[in-house]
Amino acid sequence: MPDTLTMNDGRAIPAIGFGTYLVPNDEAARITREGLEVGYRLVDTAAFYGNEIGVADGLSGRDDVFVTTKLWRSDMGFDPALRAFDRSLERLGRGSVDLYLIHWPMPSLGKYVETWQALVRLRDEGRAKSIGVSNFGPDHLRGIIDATGVVPALNQVELHPGFQQRPLREFHAAHGIVTQSWGPLGQGTMLEHPEVVRIAGRHGCSPAQAILAWHLHHGLAVIPKASAKERLSANLAASDVTLELEDIDAIDALDDPDGRLGPNPANL
Ligand SMILES: NC(=O)c1ccc[n+]([C@@H]2O[C@H](COP(=O)([O-])OP(=O)(O)OC[C@H]3O[C@@H](n4cnc5c(N)ncnc54)[C@H](OP(=O)(O)O)[C@@H]3O)[C@@H](O)[C@H]2O)c1
């Protein structure tokens, strides 16, 4: 599997990074340091996670690591988004981030188009090297593309064997948008699925590695979260696992269009 994917703005993004949702700020430095020690080159954080300062501590000024952060729901709107971005940069102690995402479209607020216009400005200023969105559905994506002509480089969405988002992935493929899976392990819920355990056993790998290899096979970027160094390391090594087509088909068959674990973005 390739180590990086190329986004529609020409920039490369590591196919595997590590996530930091629910990692407290005082744990984030250790996890980030350990993540880098075992070989990760992408960390995913967000203003909402409250751990950007800890992540920055763990990065200790390294500029060879791809840093993603996100704009929280309460900061939707053009000017609020610009201000929220400045606060994230300050907490991260950097002059720019590699990828800045709108965390949720929040259609009920009706502000995702103007928020996207703010991200386009940040990209044009070079302070957000790439810009994208998270939890956007086709309607939200169409809305921002039609209004600005700027296609997001990436959409980070809930995606795991139990909720595979096929229609959205097709939309992404048609528009050159990288799909990045959040909750790639189903937030841990998919790890004991008998089919996953069987496939892992056949390949002498762990269930987490089998699932992550399935994501990578489909050209999806992944950001699994793990709290211990051993798990961080094992998850990264999923890129060395090659599943056979019958294994891919078997995991494909686990899809449940109603298998969402998080909220439906359309209803927020
Ligand atoms: N954009 C969004 O709206 C959004 C929403 C949710 C998440 N995210 C991002 O996506 C990242 C990943 O999603 P997630 O954290 O929700 O779920 P996840 O990565 O699917 O699952 C994390 C869970 O799996 C466990 N785990 C990880 N590796 C394991 C292994 N090798 N063996 C056994 N258990 C393992 C972790 O346990 P331990 O922690 O105990 O190791 C944790 O309980 C987040 O951290 C965050 O960065 C984004």
Side-chain angles (χ1 to χ4, degrees):
M1 288 303 137
D3 290 343
T4 59
L5 301 171
T6 303
M7 297 183 285
N8 60 27
D9 58 7
R11 299 185 65 245
I13 179 168
I16 307 191
F18 64 96
T20 63
Y21 179 46
L22 297 179
V23 173
N25 193 51
D26 58 3
E27 277 280 297
R30 172 190 62 81
I31 289 182
T32 301
R33 224 176 1 256
E34 292 180 350
L36 302 192
E37 278 166 17
V38 302
Y40 285 90
R41 291 297 174 265
L42 183 150
V43 57
D44 181 86
T45 180
F48 177 65
Y49 301 168
N51 60 19
E52 290 170 307
I53 292 175
V55 167
D57 255 16
L59 289 169
S60 10
R62 277 180 63 164
D63 58 8
D64 60 337
V65 181
F66 191 109
V67 178
T68 303
T69 194
K70 316 185 193 83
L71 173 99
W72 188 235
R73 304 168 181 181
S74 49
D75 296 310
M76 298 295 276
F78 191 85
D79 290 328
L82 295 179
R83 288 195 294 270
F85 179 76
D86 286 342
R87 291 196 297 274
S88 274
L89 276 194
E90 201 176 317
R91 287 188 291 265
L92 287 165
R94 307 172 83 86
S96 64
V97 290
D98 294 280
L99 181 62
Y100 195 46
L101 306 179
I102 302 176
H103 208 141
W104 293 86
M106 300 303 294
S108 61
L109 298 179
K111 292 183 182 171
Y112 57 83
V113 170
E114 53 171 299
T115 306
W116 182 243
Q117 284 162 336
L119 265 66
V120 172
R121 171 173 306 178
L122 293 168
R123 185 201 62 177
D124 291 346
E125 291 172 352
R127 298 198 299 148
K129 292 183 193 162
S130 294
I131 52 173
V133 293
S134 177
N135 300 303
F136 274 47
D139 289 352
H140 316 126
L141 290 166
R142 268 189 219 100
I144 61 174
I145 295 167
D146 289 351
T148 64
V150 179
V151 181
L154 174 150
N155 190 11
Q156 181 185 112
V157 293
E158 178 180 348
L159 204 162
H160 43 80
F163 185 61
Q164 300 185 12
Q165 299 259 32
R166 288 194 199 156
L168 184 59
R169 278 158 60 192
E170 281 168 23
F171 184 98
H172 290 169
H175 290 80
I177 300 170
V178 169
T179 307
Q180 189 178 52
S181 309
W182 71 249
L185 305 172
Q187 301 189 315
T189 62
M190 294 305 302
L191 295 171
E192 288 173 12
H193 192 288
E195 197 63 12
V196 171
V197 171
R198 184 186 67 78
I199 291 167
R202 242 160 62 81
H203 285 272
C205 68
S206 70
Q209 288 173 326
I211 293 174
L212 294 171
W214 170 83
H215 286 270
L216 296 172
H217 171 90
H218 281 303
L220 305 166
V222 280
I223 43 167
K225 175 250 176 186
S227 308
K229 192 173 184 180
E230 294 69 29
R231 279 187 181 175
L232 282 166
S233 176
N235 291 347
L236 185 63
S239 56
D240 298 329
V241 174
T242 306
L243 300 180
E244 272 126 51
L245 282 180
E246 62 184 282
D247 304 320
I248 298 294
D249 290 345
I251 299 180
D252 283 348
L254 303 182
D255 189 20
D256 174 2
D258 297 322
R260 205 188 272 285
L261 299 171
N264 184 341
N267 300 335
L268 293 175

